[in-house]
Amino acid sequence: MHEHKDPPQRQQSAELEGGASVQTRTRRRSVCSGSDTMGAGMGSILHWLHDVASVTLLKARRTLFQAAVLFCVLGLLLWVSIFLYGSFYYSYMPTVSFSTPVHFYYTSDCDASEPGLCSFPRANISFLKNERDQVMAYGQPYRISLELEMPESPVNEQLGMFMVKMYAYTKGGETVSSVGRSTMLHYRSSLLQTLNTLLFSPFLLTGMAEQKQLIEVELFSGYKTNAYQPTIGAVIEIQSKRVQIYSSQLRIHAYFTGIRYVLYNFPLTSAVIGVATNFAFLSVIVLFSYLQFIWGGLWPPDQVRIRVMMGDNTRIQQRREEARRRMERENSQRELDAPKVIGSANEASDFQGNDTAAELSSKKFSVISDASGVDAPDTREEGSHDSKGPDEKDSSDVLDGCLLPHQGETTLRQRPGPWMSL
């Protein structure tokens, strides 16, 4: 009983073991295929990420490079704009103010017993900076004034009014203008002088203040120098022999109008407007230059239509080409119209003769066309390359007249013989 039941059980166990092994292998294959699929997917994702990173890095580098170039160009344009405005301001704006000390001199060879001076005090002043540059610009009005620092001495108080004269001269010493103005010390009563002395006595004792007055004499209110006779100096004379002066200054101040007034009184606003204007103008020039370099102009070239006139050389070449085509058609027509002769030798001789005649006629035509093109070039303009005017038709007829007959004429055509092939 047990012997008959054992084999089927063994077979079932074997089958079960085989099924389990097959399932295990299938699972392993599915796991391997799944891992391979995941590996391929990860590889493609990595490649995509690598490509995206490369493209992004390239775009970032290009963007940074373009930004750096743009920043450099803008910086250069700003620097050039500032330089141009500074150059314009320096060249257009004249000297605003000029001040120079005035040193008076007088003669001292008179009798010393007299209390006054021997002559009027005089001073010679130069209007040249560094002995070469003009102080006053041509056509610009200037205000010229003389400042006198005079002590409140009894002599000056008793002096009263006195005259101040000025003589402007040119390089040759010629006087171009003169003026005279009167002035005097400001009046102060004795009480006011006493109170002033008591109030400022500490400063007067320490030397920080002095009993003096500053007198300003306006000599010219709108002096203009001439371009043909520029003023290079002036002589100032005080017509009083008893005047007492501590020191004096000659001041020249420009009286601006128009653009110079704006530039002088509003320097910051003028600088901003001037630099911005130069920057905008230079930016437009650079932009047009960039468009010219990239597109060849402000508009693309395919949108621009230009009518090109045909020159003499082009027209002559076109005539030669037309004549050559006509000769080829005539030669082909001759070959078709020529009588056929039986025999290989005759046909060969005919073909050779035709070829020789065509070569001779083409050479002759080329010589005639060259001579006609060199001697009498037609200089008339044409609207297009395909259209021909009456000039070209006549000239083509003249060229073809030596070789080709006109339509409607009766010509005698002779069959080329074998002697033409020699």
Side-chain angles (χ1 to χ4, degrees), residues 406-418:
H406 293 282
Q407 295 181 358
E409 294 182 357
T410 303
T411 59
L412 179 60
R413 293 193 179 126
Q414 185 179 1
R415 177 188 173 191

Side-chain angles (χ1 to χ4, degrees), residues 327 334 361-362 364-366 368 398-405:
M327 286 294 297
R334 284 180 182 180
S361 62
S362 63
K364 185 175 181 181
F365 172 73
S366 63
I368 293 172
V398 171
L399 291 175
D400 297 337
C402 300
L403 299 176
L404 301 176

